Amino acid sequence: MHHRLFRCFKAKTAKMIAAGTVITCLFSSVGVGVAAPTQSAITVLPIDRAKFASGQTFDFLIEVKDADSEKIQVTVNGVAADKYFGKTASAKMDGPLATYRIDQVAFKKPGKVEISVKATAANSFTTRTVKYEVVNNTAPKRAKNVILFVGDGMSLQAREMARILSKGITEGKYNDLLAMEKMASTAIITTSGYDSLVTDSANSASAYATGHKAVVNAMGTYTNSTKDPFDDPNVENIVELAKRSRGMATGIVSTANITDATPAAMVAHTRKRAEQNFIAETMLDPRHRPDVILGGGSRHFLPMSTPGSKRTDNKNIIDEFKKLGYSFSGTKSELLATPLNTDKLLGLYQLDNMNVYLDREMLNNPKVLGGFNDQPTLMSMTQKAIDTLSKNPNGFFLMVEGASIDKQLHVLDWQRATYDTIELDKSVEIAKEFARKNQDTLIVVVADHAHGASITGTYHELDGKTGREAVRIYADAGWPTFEDNNKDGFPDSPSPDVTLAVQYANHPDYKEDYKFKAEPTVPAIMSNGKAIANPQTSGEFYPGNIPTADPSEVHSADDIILNADGPGADYFNGVMDNTEVFFGIVRALGLDGNRNAK
C-alpha cells in the first residue's frame, strides 16, 4: 500500500487514520520563533482490538518515547484509568521511555471499551485511542469439562497423511475418517501473532490459552520495551481463570518437553520461551499449578548436580511437587501403577522431548531411546489424565499436545510426523469415549500452525527408477501400499513398496531419497555459519529456499483446521482468529472472571 499524506490546513486538529487506529495531532499556531511540535510514538498494551472475557485479569501498560511520565493522561471510557480500575498507576521514566502501568486489572462488564491516551513533552503533544471488546457469553448447554487437543504443526496435509496411512483409501474413497474428523463442528483458524505473519508455537498456543495475541517466542504476555523477559504485562490464561473462578482441575499432557512452548503457554508468563527452568519452577505457583503434568523434560526439574540436568541451581522441582502431594512417575510402568485415589500427577519420561511413536513403540532402537525404554504413549497419558482430573466435581480443563508432528516435519521426516499424528488421533478417540459416556465435555482438536509439506503423489523403485524420476504423479501415482494387519490404526511398516511422495515448500539445502530413515536424521547442519546439506545423507541435492541461517524446514503461514464436538461446539464455524479458541472454551464452560471459587 502506498503511503498517504494528510495535511492540516487552518484547523487546529486533524485526524489521521492508519491501520485502524485513530491518531489525533494537535497543532499550536506556528509563527516567528515557534517550532512545530514533533510526533511521539505511543504504545498501548493490550493492543488495539484486543478482546477480553469479563473479569479476566491483565496488566495495563502505556509506553511513550521522549515524553514525561508525569504528563501521561489515560482515560477508560472517559474516566481516568486509575479511578476506573480503582488502583494507583505507576508512572516512571526508563531512559527516554515514559511508562504508565496498572497491574492486575479487569473489565467487569461486557461491552465496548475505549482507551484514550494523551502525552506531552517539552515540544510534543500526541494522543492515541484504542478500542477493546469485553464479552460474557455462555453456551445454551454448558460444558463441565473441556479437552483441548493441539497437534503441533498439524496442517491439513499432515491430517491427510495420517488418514491415508491409518484408514486407507480404495478406488478414491477413504475407508474411514480420523476420529478428529468425525466431529460436529469445523472451522478454519488463522494463526498470525501481532508482530509477524508467521507464528511460532509459543505465541500461537498463547492465543488459545489467553484469547490475546502475542509475539514470536512469547506466552501469556504482551511485549514491552525492556530486555527483561519477565516484566512484560501479563494476561490471565485459561488454567488460571478455570482455577480461580470455578475451582476446576487442570492438566497439561505433551510428548514434548513439558516446559516447551505449547504446554508452557497454558500456564506461564514470559516473552522468552527458552526460559524453561523458570517455566518448570513457575508451575509450582498455585495460581496456575496444574493438577496433572505429564510429558518429557525432566532436565529442567532436576538439580544441576544430577547428570543431564539443565538447571543452573540445585533446586529439585520434582521434590517440591512431591511435597505438595503429587504422585511422581518416570516410566510408563510407574504411571500405570499410580494409585487410583491419586488426584495430582507429575510424570516426566525423558530428559528432553519424548521419543516419537515409531521409535519408542515399534523400532525400539536402544541408541535412539538413550536408556528411556519405558515411555508411555500419548494415549496412556491422556487416559490417566482424564481418570485423574474427572474426580473434581467442578469439572476440568485438559490440554493434550501431539508435539512431534511439528518437530519431525522440521527435519523433513514426514513418516515419523504421521505416526505421531495417528497417535494424537487415537488419544482423541479416548476423549470421545469419555465424552460419549458423560455428555458434558467439549472436545476441541486444532493445530497451532502449519508446515509446507504436501503430497505430490507416490514413490516406488519397482521399475528401477530412482530419485525424482521415481516420483509418480497423476495417473502414474496409483495408491500407496501401507498395511495394517493388526488393525491398530498404525501401519505395520513405515516403508512399504509404494509410499507417499511428500515434498516441502520451505527448506534448507538437503538431499532427498524419498526413503524412510531407520534412525532420526537432520537434513542439514551448520558449517561456517551457514546451513548445508547433511553430508551423512544421500540422495538428490535440493537447494534451499530459505535463509542459510536456518538448518531446518520452517513454519508456514497457512490457515489450519479446527474440529469440535460437545456442549459449546457450535461456536466454532467459518473462518476464525486463533484467539477465538479461548473464547469458545470460556463460553462453553460459562466461566465468569468476576467470580472467585470458594
Side-chain angles (χ1 to χ4, degrees):
M1 181 181 293
H2 295 291
H3 292 290
R4 295 182 178 180
L5 300 179
F6 295 83
R7 304 181 67 182
C8 294
F9 296 98
K10 294 181 180 179
K12 298 251 183 182
T13 64
K15 291 185 177 179
M16 299 187 298
I17 301 176
T21 300
V22 178
I23 307 173
T24 304
C25 301
L26 280 76
F27 292 76
S28 61
S29 298
V30 179
V32 177
V34 180
T38 58
Q39 278 293 134
S40 291
I42 296 178
T43 299
V44 181
L45 301 175
I47 60 174
D48 190 29
R49 297 189 294 162
K51 185 175 178 180
F52 302 80
S54 178
Q56 181 185 14
T57 61
F58 65 97
D59 299 337
F60 181 62
L61 174 65
I62 310 294
E63 294 182 332
V64 189
K65 294 181 180 178
D66 301 317
D68 185 342
S69 63
E70 297 301 321
K71 295 182 180 180
I72 299 177
Q73 300 176 36
V74 186
T75 62
V76 182
N77 287 345
V79 179
D82 53 355
K83 182 177 180 181
Y84 181 93
F85 291 122
K87 300 185 77 172
T88 302
S90 171
K92 62 181 182 180
M93 298 297 299
D94 184 2
L97 189 70
T99 65
Y100 175 103
R101 181 164 178 160
I102 310 177
D103 286 347
Q104 290 296 289
V105 297
F107 297 117
K108 304 295 184 182
K109 298 178 180 180
K112 303 295 184 181
V113 176
E114 183 173 288
I115 307 293
S116 295
V117 183
K118 182 169 69 174
T120 59
N123 193 33
S124 175
F125 192 118
T126 187
T127 70
R128 186 175 181 196
T129 299
V130 301
K131 296 181 179 181
Y132 299 150
E133 180 183 6
V134 184
V135 296
N136 187 4
N137 301 319
T138 301
K141 180 183 178 182
R142 202 174 79 178
K144 180 181 180 182
N145 316 302
V146 170
I147 305 175
L148 171 64
F149 286 92
V150 179
D152 201 310
M154 188 176 65
S155 59
L156 177 61
Q157 293 80 2
R159 286 171 173 242
E160 185 182 356
M161 293 174 205
R163 191 190 316 127
I164 292 171
L165 269 65
S166 182
K167 305 303 180 183
I169 184 170
T170 304
E171 294 183 324
K173 290 187 177 182
Y174 286 95
N175 302 329
D176 199 356
L177 299 177
L178 298 173
M180 69 179 77
E181 296 173 322
K182 295 188 285 186
M183 302 176 80
S185 296
T186 300
I188 296 173
I189 304 297
T190 64
T191 63
S192 300
Y194 79 83
D195 65 326
S196 176
L197 176 66
V198 184
T199 189
D200 90 316
S201 295
N203 58 330
S204 55
S206 184
Y208 299 158
T210 68
H212 289 256
K213 295 290 189 181
V215 303
V216 169
N217 292 324
M219 58 186 74
T221 69
Y222 283 96
T223 300
N224 64 16
S225 297
T226 74
K227 295 181 179 180
D228 187 343
F230 307 117
D231 72 345
D232 302 275
N234 293 347
V235 182
E236 188 172 33
N237 59 48
I238 186 62
V239 167
E240 293 165 337
L241 184 61
K243 290 170 69 71
R244 177 178 66 81
S245 67
R246 189 173 293 168
M248 296 175 67
T250 59
I252 52 175
V253 173
S254 177
T255 51
N257 187 321
I258 202 64
T259 57
D260 197 14
T262 304
M266 298 298 123
V267 298
H269 301 276
T270 176
R271 75 152 173 259
K272 191 176 180 182
R273 59 180 283 185
E275 295 287 350
Q276 294 192 67
N277 290 335
F278 162 80
I279 292 169
E281 193 167 353
T282 197
M283 288 184 184
L284 291 165
D285 188 330
R287 291 182 306 142
H288 48 234
R289 183 170 63 233
D291 301 282
V292 171
I293 305 169
L294 303 176
S298 60
R299 64 185 188 176
H300 299 293
F301 292 76
L302 295 167
M304 62 184 295
S305 56
T306 303
S309 172
K310 289 292 184 179
R311 292 199 65 83
T312 57
D313 56 37
N314 272 312
K315 293 180 180 178
N316 190 322
I317 308 302
I318 294 174
D319 281 352
E320 293 302 312
F321 273 103
K322 288 180 179 179
K323 292 174 184 177
L324 292 168
Y326 281 72
S327 176
F328 176 74
S329 57
T331 64
K332 177 180 179 178
S333 300
E334 292 173 353
L335 175 66
L336 298 180
T338 302
L340 295 177
N341 62 351
T342 299
D343 61 359
K344 291 181 176 62
L345 295 176
L346 172 64
L348 302 170
Y349 309 108
Q350 248 285 13
L351 282 171
D352 193 9
N353 302 312
M354 293 175 63
N355 293 94
V356 299
Y357 186 89
L358 262 172
D359 291 321
R360 67 178 135 79
E361 299 299 321
M362 296 179 66
L363 302 179
N364 297 306
N365 183 337
K367 177 182 175 183
V368 174
L369 296 179
F372 293 89
N373 304 319
D374 190 19
Q375 300 172 55
T377 64
L378 188 61
M379 293 87 79
S380 58
M381 290 192 292
T382 300
Q383 185 67 69
K384 180 61 73 170
I386 291 173
D387 291 345
T388 303
L389 297 173
S390 59
K391 298 171 185 176
N392 188 317
N394 297 322
F396 67 85
F397 168 80
L398 170 64
M399 191 287 300
V400 178
E401 182 196 23
S404 286
I405 304 167
D406 169 77
K407 297 181 189 305
Q408 297 307 304
L409 289 175
H410 273 304
V411 294
L412 308 182
D413 193 335
W414 70 264
Q415 294 97 333
R416 283 181 169 83
T418 300
Y419 275 73
D420 272 39
T421 306
I422 297 170
E423 182 181 36
L424 178 71
D425 195 60
K426 291 294 181 181
S427 303
V428 172
E429 285 184 6
I430 291 169
K432 289 180 72 173
E433 179 61 19
F434 172 81
R436 185 189 66 80
K437 293 178 180 178
N438 294 276
Q439 298 295 309
D440 59 2
T441 301
L442 170 66
I443 301 173
V444 178
V445 185
V446 67
D448 53 351
H449 58 77
H451 279 271
S454 189
I455 304 169
T456 303
T458 61
Y459 181 88
H460 70 78
E461 299 179 353
L462 299 176
D463 56 4
K465 294 180 179 179
T466 61
R468 65 186 294 182
E469 298 304 326
V471 174
R472 316 298 165 148
I473 58 176
Y474 295 113
D476 292 335
W479 313 104
T481 55
F482 292 95
E483 295 182 350
D484 180 16
N485 291 316
N486 63 2
K487 306 301 180 185
D488 66 351
F490 295 91
D492 300 332
S493 169
S495 185
D497 289 339
V498 183
T499 186
L500 295 180
V502 175
Q503 296 174 323
Y504 303 87
N506 38 20
H507 57 80
D509 289 358
Y510 79 106
K511 298 174 186 177
E512 178 64 84
D513 65 3
Y514 298 95
K515 298 176 182 178
F516 173 70
K517 308 297 188 295
E519 293 185 9
T521 305
V522 296
I525 62 171
M526 297 303 293
S527 177
N528 297 319
K530 291 186 177 182
I532 63 169
N534 186 345
Q536 301 301 315
T537 58
S538 60
E540 293 178 324
F541 175 77
Y542 282 77
N545 55 11
I546 60 173
T548 56
D550 200 320
S552 67
E553 184 266 3
V554 296
H555 299 174
S556 68
D558 303 347
D559 297 338
I560 53 178
I561 302 297
L562 176 148
N563 298 103
D565 214 357
D570 60 298
Y571 186 82
F572 301 103
N573 62 83
V575 179
M576 308 179 75
D577 187 76
N578 57 3
T579 56
E580 288 298 320
V581 174
F582 170 85
F583 293 102
I585 291 171
V586 170
R587 172 182 177 269
L589 291 170
L591 295 180
D592 184 351
N594 294 312
R595 299 177 180 175
N596 288 298
K598 296 180 179 179

